[in-house]
Amino acid sequence: MHHDTTPEEDRAGLPEPRRILARSGFGAAEPLFSADLRAANDLAQAREAVSAHASRLWTEATRTDVDGPDDRPPYWARLVLAARLRTWRPGFALSEAERADLLHLLETGSRGITDLDFPPGERWIRIVVTGFDPFRLDEDPGCSNPSGAAALDLNGWTFPVGGRTAVVRTAVFPVRWADFDAGLVEEALADQHGRADAVVTLSRGRPGRFDIEEWNGIWRGGGPDNVREVRTGRAPVPGPDAPEWTRSSLPGARIAEATAGRPYPVVVNTAVTEVPAGADEQRERPDGPSEGSAARRGGGGNYLSNEIAYRNTLLRDRSGWDVPAGHVHLPKVADPGENAAVLAQVREIVRTVAEAAGAAPPTA
């Protein structure tokens, strides 16, 4: 059977992604991966090879760089490896389900999702932070996503909070509706609500400001993702009785105060778009949803950033784990070289969240 690559994987062959891979050294990942695939004699050996290369990609991506973290090389390298795995013809029988499992192993291992582990003990304040891949790549294949760069920057960071130590673990999510349909957010974050002291999701927002999104809606607005697919309607979240809205529990006012004087203002965004109860037309509300309304846009819109915020805070609510959880939109910058000021301010935001989390131990 012929296995076609995806539109996202095909972009990796464009001149700018190829230059990014060549300059960064991440272009060396593909020949090494291909050699190990060719050497695999059965599924167990293939799984071992994929797991090892996925872990190596994440380790290299999160290694400190003198020029600061760049989310683009690991993003494009992952796509090159995925395309190679998708079109691989092994010398043994490989079912479609087994190939899909290998692709999933590559995705989760190279994104930090399988590495969200924390040290045991009461001395730690455990903070999960997630970012996103670059997107809108048909417009700009060389673009970065500061939230992905922030995730690479923050992974493994430790810092003192009172008499305890905060430790940060991170992951980077794909900009693809189908992965959310398949429950990737729940796979990554469900178990964190019960052991982490805070779960913060990040994404790229508007220029010139940070937004802490107070309200998240279940509605998908149909924007095209990185494989040019669209989704419209209520998000298919698992479990019964999914509400129209969820709410952030991040310490928004405290974050805004702690980061005053930084290059970018921090805004606690309470605006939503809803269809009021008993009405047919949608309307904007600046101060959150009205009772019984249907969601059309959360503070963070109705794309995947709003949806990860919704899914994360819904997991918090269903777990009964009373911790800071919510979403922050980072300023969109014109060039990856401008990320340094954004990332420094993200660290202050995460530090403030950790201080809030450490002030009151979570209760279930």
Coordinates of all heavy atoms in Angstrom, one line a residue, residues 104-156:
H104 N 2.6 7.6 16.4 CA 2.2 8.2 17.7 C 3.4 8.2 18.7 O 3.6 9.2 19.4 CB 1.0 7.5 18.2 CG 0.5 8.1 19.5 ND1 -0.3 9.3 19.5 CD2 0.5 7.7 20.8 CE1 -0.6 9.6 20.7 NE2 -0.2 8.6 21.5
L105 N 4.2 7.2 18.7 CA 5.3 7.1 19.5 C 6.3 8.2 19.2 O 6.9 8.8 20.1 CB 6.0 5.7 19.4 CG 7.1 5.3 20.3 CD1 6.5 5.2 21.8 CD2 7.6 3.9 19.9
L106 N 6.5 8.4 17.9 CA 7.4 9.5 17.5 C 6.9 10.8 17.9 O 7.7 11.7 18.5 CB 7.6 9.5 16.0 CG 8.3 10.6 15.3 CD1 9.8 10.6 15.8 CD2 8.2 10.5 13.8
E107 N 5.6 11.1 17.8 CA 5.0 12.4 18.1 C 5.2 12.6 19.6 O 5.7 13.7 20.1 CB 3.6 12.4 17.7 CG 3.3 12.5 16.3 CD 3.6 14.0 15.8 OE1 3.4 14.9 16.5 OE2 4.0 14.1 14.6
T108 N 4.7 11.7 20.4 CA 4.6 11.9 21.9 C 6.0 12.0 22.5 O 6.3 12.8 23.4 CB 3.8 10.9 22.6 OG1 4.3 9.6 22.3 CG2 2.3 11.0 22.2
G109 N 6.9 11.2 22.0 CA 8.3 11.1 22.5 C 9.1 12.4 22.2 O 9.9 12.9 23.0
S110 N 8.9 12.9 21.0 CA 9.7 14.1 20.5 C 9.1 15.4 20.9 O 9.7 16.4 20.7 CB 9.8 14.0 19.0 OG 8.5 14.2 18.4
R111 N 7.9 15.4 21.6 CA 7.2 16.6 22.0 C 7.3 16.8 23.5 O 6.7 17.7 24.0 CB 5.7 16.5 21.6 CG 5.5 16.6 20.1 CD 4.1 16.6 19.7 NE 3.9 16.8 18.3 CZ 4.0 18.0 17.7 NH1 4.2 19.1 18.4 NH2 3.8 18.1 16.4
G112 N 7.9 15.9 24.2 CA 8.0 16.0 25.7 C 6.8 15.4 26.4 O 6.7 15.4 27.6
I113 N 5.8 14.9 25.7 CA 4.6 14.4 26.3 C 4.8 13.2 27.2 O 4.2 13.0 28.2 CB 3.5 14.1 25.2 CG1 3.0 15.5 24.6 CG2 2.3 13.3 25.8 CD1 2.1 15.3 23.4
T114 N 5.8 12.3 26.7 CA 6.1 11.1 27.5 C 7.2 11.4 28.6 O 7.6 10.5 29.3 CB 6.6 10.0 26.6 OG1 7.8 10.5 25.9 CG2 5.6 9.5 25.7
D115 N 7.6 12.7 28.7 CA 8.6 13.1 29.6 C 8.1 14.0 30.7 O 8.9 14.7 31.4 CB 9.7 13.8 28.9 CG 11.1 13.8 29.6 OD1 11.3 12.8 30.3 OD2 11.8 14.8 29.5
L116 N 6.8 14.0 30.9 CA 6.2 14.9 32.0 C 6.2 14.2 33.3 O 5.2 13.9 34.0 CB 4.7 15.3 31.6 CG 4.6 16.2 30.4 CD1 3.1 16.4 30.0 CD2 5.2 17.6 30.6
D117 N 7.4 13.9 33.8 CA 7.6 13.3 35.1 C 8.3 14.2 36.0 O 9.1 15.1 35.6 CB 8.4 12.0 34.9 CG 7.8 10.9 34.1 OD1 6.5 10.8 34.3 OD2 8.4 10.2 33.3
F118 N 7.9 14.1 37.3 CA 8.5 14.9 38.3 C 9.2 14.1 39.4 O 8.8 13.0 39.7 CB 7.4 15.8 39.0 CG 6.8 16.8 38.0 CD1 5.6 16.5 37.3 CD2 7.4 18.0 37.9 CE1 5.1 17.5 36.5 CE2 6.9 19.0 37.0 CZ 5.7 18.7 36.3
P119 N 10.1 14.7 40.1 CA 10.7 14.0 41.3 C 9.8 13.9 42.4 O 8.9 14.8 42.6 CB 11.9 15.0 41.6 CG 11.5 16.3 41.1 CD 10.7 16.1 39.9
P120 N 9.9 12.9 43.2 CA 9.0 12.7 44.3 C 9.4 13.6 45.5 O 10.5 14.1 45.6 CB 9.2 11.2 44.7 CG 10.6 10.9 44.3 CD 10.8 11.7 43.1
G121 N 8.4 13.8 46.4 CA 8.7 14.5 47.6 C 7.9 15.8 47.8 O 7.5 16.4 46.8
E122 N 7.8 16.2 49.0 CA 7.0 17.4 49.3 C 7.8 18.7 49.0 O 7.2 19.8 49.1 CB 6.5 17.4 50.7 CG 5.6 16.3 51.0 CD 4.3 16.4 50.2 OE1 3.8 17.5 50.0 OE2 3.8 15.3 49.7
R123 N 9.1 18.7 48.8 CA 9.8 19.9 48.7 C 9.6 20.6 47.3 O 10.0 21.7 47.1 CB 11.3 19.6 48.8 CG 11.9 18.6 47.8 CD 13.4 18.6 47.8 NE 14.0 19.9 47.3 CZ 15.3 20.0 46.9 NH1 16.1 18.9 47.0 NH2 15.7 21.1 46.5
W124 N 9.0 19.8 46.4 CA 8.9 20.3 45.0 C 7.5 21.0 44.7 O 6.5 20.5 45.2 CB 9.0 19.2 44.0 CG 10.3 18.4 44.2 CD1 10.5 17.2 44.8 CD2 11.6 18.9 43.7 NE1 11.9 16.9 44.7 CE2 12.6 17.9 44.1 CE3 12.1 20.0 43.0 CZ2 13.9 18.0 43.8 CZ3 13.4 20.1 42.7 CH2 14.3 19.1 43.1
I125 N 7.5 22.0 44.0 CA 6.3 22.6 43.4 C 6.4 22.3 41.9 O 7.3 22.7 41.2 CB 6.2 24.1 43.6 CG1 6.3 24.5 45.1 CG2 5.0 24.7 42.9 CD1 6.4 26.0 45.4
R126 N 5.4 21.4 41.4 CA 5.5 20.9 40.1 C 4.6 21.7 39.1 O 3.4 21.8 39.3 CB 5.0 19.4 40.2 CG 5.9 18.5 41.1 CD 5.2 17.2 41.4 NE 6.1 16.4 42.3 CZ 6.1 16.4 43.6 NH1 5.3 17.3 44.3 NH2 6.9 15.7 44.3
I127 N 5.3 22.2 38.1 CA 4.6 23.1 37.2 C 4.7 22.5 35.8 O 5.8 22.2 35.3 CB 5.3 24.5 37.1 CG1 5.5 25.0 38.6 CG2 4.5 25.4 36.3 CD1 4.2 25.3 39.3
V128 N 3.6 22.3 35.1 CA 3.5 21.9 33.7 C 3.2 23.1 32.8 O 2.3 23.9 33.1 CB 2.4 20.8 33.5 CG1 2.3 20.5 32.0 CG2 2.7 19.6 34.3
V129 N 4.0 23.3 31.8 CA 3.8 24.3 30.8 C 3.8 23.7 29.4 O 4.7 22.9 29.1 CB 4.9 25.4 30.9 CG1 4.7 26.5 29.9 CG2 5.0 26.0 32.3
T130 N 2.9 24.1 28.6 CA 2.9 23.6 27.2 C 2.9 24.7 26.2 O 2.3 25.8 26.5 CB 1.6 22.7 27.0 OG1 0.5 23.5 26.9 CG2 1.5 21.7 28.1
G131 N 3.4 24.4 25.0 CA 3.4 25.4 23.9 C 2.8 24.7 22.7 O 2.3 23.6 22.7
F132 N 2.9 25.4 21.6 CA 2.4 24.9 20.3 C 3.5 25.0 19.2 O 4.4 25.8 19.3 CB 1.2 25.8 19.8 CG -0.1 25.3 20.3 CD1 -0.8 26.0 21.3 CD2 -0.7 24.1 19.7 CE1 -2.1 25.5 21.7 CE2 -1.9 23.7 20.1 CZ -2.6 24.4 21.1
D133 N 3.3 24.2 18.1 CA 4.1 24.3 16.9 C 3.9 25.6 16.2 O 2.9 26.3 16.4 CB 3.7 23.2 15.9 CG 4.2 21.8 16.3 OD1 5.0 21.7 17.2 OD2 3.6 20.8 15.7
P134 N 4.8 26.0 15.3 CA 4.5 27.1 14.4 C 3.2 26.8 13.6 O 2.9 25.6 13.4 CB 5.7 27.1 13.5 CG 6.8 26.4 14.2 CD 6.1 25.4 15.1
F135 N 2.6 27.8 13.1 CA 1.4 27.6 12.3 C 1.3 28.7 11.2 O 2.0 29.7 11.2 CB 0.1 27.4 13.1 CG -0.3 28.7 13.9 CD1 -1.3 29.4 13.5 CD2 0.5 29.0 15.0 CE1 -1.7 30.6 14.3 CE2 0.1 30.1 15.8 CZ -1.0 30.9 15.4
R136 N 0.3 28.6 10.4 CA 0.1 29.5 9.2 C 1.4 29.5 8.3 O 1.9 30.5 7.9 CB -0.3 30.9 9.6 CG -1.6 31.0 10.3 CD -2.0 32.4 10.7 NE -3.4 32.4 11.3 CZ -3.9 33.4 12.0 NH1 -3.2 34.5 12.1 NH2 -5.1 33.3 12.5
L137 N 1.8 28.3 8.1 CA 3.1 28.1 7.4 C 3.0 28.2 5.9 O 4.0 28.4 5.2 CB 3.6 26.7 7.8 CG 4.0 26.6 9.3 CD1 4.0 25.2 9.8 CD2 5.4 27.2 9.5
D138 N 1.8 28.2 5.3 CA 1.6 28.5 3.9 C 1.9 29.9 3.7 O 2.4 30.3 2.6 CB 0.2 28.1 3.5 CG 0.0 26.6 3.3 OD1 0.9 25.9 3.0 OD2 -1.2 26.2 3.5
E139 N 1.7 30.8 4.7 CA 2.0 32.2 4.5 C 3.4 32.5 4.8 O 4.0 33.3 4.2 CB 1.1 33.0 5.5 CG -0.4 32.8 5.3 CD -1.2 33.4 6.5 OE1 -0.6 34.2 7.3 OE2 -2.3 33.0 6.7
D140 N 4.0 31.8 5.8 CA 5.4 32.1 6.2 C 6.0 30.8 6.7 O 6.0 30.5 7.9 CB 5.4 33.1 7.3 CG 6.8 33.5 7.8 OD1 7.8 33.0 7.1 OD2 7.0 34.2 8.8
P141 N 6.7 30.0 5.8 CA 7.2 28.7 6.3 C 8.4 28.8 7.2 O 8.9 27.9 7.8 CB 7.6 28.0 4.9 CG 7.8 29.2 4.0 CD 6.8 30.2 4.4
G142 N 8.9 30.1 7.4 CA 10.1 30.2 8.3 C 9.7 30.8 9.6 O 10.5 31.1 10.5
C143 N 8.4 30.8 9.9 CA 7.9 31.5 11.2 C 8.2 30.6 12.4 O 8.3 29.4 12.3 CB 6.4 31.8 11.1 SG 5.3 30.4 11.2
S144 N 8.3 31.2 13.5 CA 8.4 30.6 14.8 C 7.1 30.7 15.6 O 6.3 31.5 15.2 CB 9.6 31.2 15.6 OG 9.6 30.8 16.9
N145 N 7.0 29.9 16.6 CA 5.9 30.1 17.6 C 6.5 30.4 19.0 O 7.2 29.5 19.5 CB 5.0 28.9 17.7 CG 3.7 29.2 18.5 OD1 3.7 30.0 19.5 ND2 2.6 28.6 18.1
P146 N 6.4 31.6 19.5 CA 7.1 31.9 20.8 C 6.7 30.9 21.9 O 7.4 30.7 22.9 CB 6.8 33.3 21.1 CG 5.5 33.6 20.3 CD 5.7 32.8 19.1
S147 N 5.5 30.4 21.8 CA 5.0 29.5 22.9 C 5.8 28.2 22.8 O 6.1 27.6 23.9 CB 3.5 29.2 22.8 OG 3.2 28.4 21.7
G148 N 6.1 27.7 21.6 CA 6.9 26.5 21.5 C 8.4 26.8 22.0 O 9.0 25.9 22.7
A149 N 8.9 27.9 21.6 CA 10.2 28.3 22.1 C 10.3 28.4 23.6 O 11.2 28.0 24.2 CB 10.7 29.6 21.4
A150 N 9.2 28.9 24.2 CA 9.1 29.0 25.6 C 9.1 27.7 26.3 O 9.8 27.5 27.3 CB 7.8 29.8 26.1
A151 N 8.4 26.7 25.7 CA 8.4 25.4 26.3 C 9.8 24.8 26.2 O 10.2 24.1 27.2 CB 7.4 24.5 25.5
L152 N 10.5 25.0 25.1 CA 11.9 24.4 25.1 C 12.8 25.1 26.1 O 13.6 24.5 26.7 CB 12.4 24.7 23.7 CG 11.7 24.0 22.5 CD1 12.4 24.2 21.2 CD2 11.5 22.5 22.7
D153 N 12.6 26.4 26.3 CA 13.4 27.2 27.2 C 13.1 26.8 28.7 O 14.0 26.8 29.5 CB 13.0 28.7 27.0 CG 13.8 29.6 28.0 OD1 15.0 29.5 28.0 OD2 13.2 30.4 28.7
L154 N 11.9 26.5 29.0 CA 11.5 26.3 30.4 C 11.7 24.8 30.9 O 11.8 24.6 32.1 CB 10.0 26.6 30.6 CG 9.7 28.1 30.5 CD1 8.1 28.2 30.4 CD2 10.2 28.9 31.7
N155 N 11.8 23.9 30.0 CA 11.9 22.5 30.4 C 13.1 22.2 31.3 O 14.2 22.5 31.0 CB 11.9 21.6 29.2 CG 11.7 20.1 29.6 OD1 10.7 19.8 30.2 ND2 12.7 19.2 29.3
G156 N 12.8 21.7 32.5 CA 13.8 21.4 33.5 C 14.3 22.5 34.3 O 15.1 22.4 35.2

